[in-house]
């Protein structure tokens, strides 16, 4: 599977949920999808390419795309942390595009670095 095939597959699943891909396909969406495929090959799961993954599925579960932070990010900012998924309003430019802050707890980031418990 390549990024374009993943795009086509996920678009059918995510759009009915109100989650649209960023319309900057060449500079944003397809490179992020390609990175998800790289992480799948590397770790066996599609860990978010914008965060540190440990490679352990249980430790990375919260950042497997779509991550558990996507819904609150999209609700508050209209986009997920990566900017891969956006709301219809964000895509239309009817809400301000703000930087989405990291919601992942510090202890999970430290664990991904091998510095946790």
């Amino acid at each position: 599977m390549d990024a374009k095939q993943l795009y086509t597959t996920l678009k059918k699943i995510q759009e009915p949920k109100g989650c649209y891909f960023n319309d900057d396909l060449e500079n944003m969406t397809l490179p992020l999808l390609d990175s998800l495929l790289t992480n799948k090959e590397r770790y066996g799961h599609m860990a978010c390419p914008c965060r540190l993954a440990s490679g352990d599925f249980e430790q990375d579960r919260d950042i497997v795309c779509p991550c558990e932070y996507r819904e609150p990010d999209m609700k508050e900012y209209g986009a997920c942390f990566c900017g891969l998924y956006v709301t219809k309003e964000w895509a239309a430019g009817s809400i301000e595009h703000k930087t989405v802050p990291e919601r992942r707890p510090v202890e999970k980031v430290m664990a991904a670095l091998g510095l946790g418990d």
Side-chain angles (χ1 to χ4, degrees):
M1 177 176 282
D2 64 20
K4 287 185 179 179
Q5 291 169 321
L6 183 59
Y7 172 86
T8 301
T9 300
L10 293 177
K11 184 176 179 172
K12 291 177 194 168
I13 298 168
Q14 298 302 323
E15 283 190 357
K17 298 176 182 176
C19 301
Y20 299 86
F21 281 121
N22 190 311
D23 63 2
D24 185 353
L25 293 182
E26 295 305 317
N27 297 307
M28 180 70 117
T29 299
L30 292 176
L32 284 170
L33 292 173
D34 191 51
S35 296
L36 283 172
L37 291 169
T38 297
N39 281 347
K40 180 159 177 69
E41 187 174 313
R42 182 182 296 149
Y43 303 126
H45 54 273
M46 290 199 288
C48 174
C50 300
R51 294 182 165 107
L52 291 172
S54 70
D56 177 87
F57 181 78
E58 288 306 318
Q59 276 192 323
D60 295 341
R61 181 182 293 270
D62 63 318
I63 60 167
V64 173
C65 190
C67 73
E68 70 180 47
Y69 312 106
R70 181 182 74 168
E71 293 303 320
D73 285 349
M74 290 183 65
K75 186 174 182 180
E76 186 171 352
Y77 297 98
C80 72
F81 179 70
C82 295
L84 177 62
Y85 288 107
V86 300
T87 62
K88 192 178 279 189
E89 294 78 16
W90 191 97
S94 60
I95 61 171
E96 184 180 356
H97 294 183
K98 295 179 180 176
T99 300
V100 179
E102 175 64 279
R103 291 181 191 267
R104 193 174 196 208
V106 170
E107 56 273 8
K108 289 190 175 193
V109 175
M110 298 303 278
L113 292 168
L115 301 173
D117 293 332

